[in-house]
Amino acid sequence: MIFFLLIAVAAAATAPVAAWALRHAAAPIPVATAAGLAALGVTAVTGRWLSGGWPGWWLPVPALLTVVAVPLALADLRHLRLPDVLTLPAYPLFGAAIGAAALGGGGPSLAVRAVAGALLFGGAHAAVRQLAPGSLGAGDVKLSGSLGAVLGAAGWPALALATLLAALLTLVMAAARRTGRVPHGPALLAAAWLCVVFPLAG
């Protein structure tokens, strides 16, 4: 119980830093909400690991994804923006987590898949924006590269599954909202989180 409490506190402590960065990017988010969601998310990730969902060397990847995804999703929902202050640092952060996972037991193939995933996932989203500029924002494209790295590391099926899940979640949000622009970032982040926390073999 104390272990989970420490994990939750550590995750919640990342929220004020992300909120500070987003506030300076003119995209403020509620700190308490971000802290609570980050704590819940990382606690769930830790529980998944302790239940034998995957080896310990994979833990840094979904844990980091959680604390990055929460503030970005909140910013996109509130401001229809995915600010560079979080999307760009995600690349070296995820790179470090994936590198640690590869060295910790995942092997070099994990890093190779991550690079390929970043190119494929990011390139596909860039192509969609080029062909249909109104369908995706620039922030979605910037985010997709780093998420592609994480998804590629999780396994090839994760790339296709996350694409499908994100599209479905955005459609559900559009149906629920009915009016106004619907951000794709939250669905993209949620789909990636699910695929990384519950990876398929591949």
Side-chain angles (χ1 to χ4, degrees), residues 79-184:
H79 306 286
L80 299 178
R81 291 178 55 216
L82 291 166
D84 290 351
V85 291
L86 290 188
T87 56
L88 298 184
Y91 284 87
L93 289 173
F94 288 149
I98 292 167
L103 292 172
S109 63
L110 186 145
V112 171
R113 289 200 313 270
V115 173
L119 294 173
L120 288 170
F121 206 63
H125 282 78
V128 169
R129 176 167 165 78
Q130 185 70 24
L131 294 171
S135 61
L136 291 174
D140 297 319
V141 176
K142 294 172 186 176
L143 175 64
S144 65
S146 62
L147 291 185
V150 174
L151 291 166
W156 297 121
L159 290 164
L161 182 57
T163 302
L164 178 61
L165 279 176
L168 289 174
L169 288 171
T170 296
L171 287 174
V172 169
M173 288 176 60
R177 227 173 189 180
R178 297 190 180 182
T179 59
R181 180 184 158 196
V182 176
H184 186 55

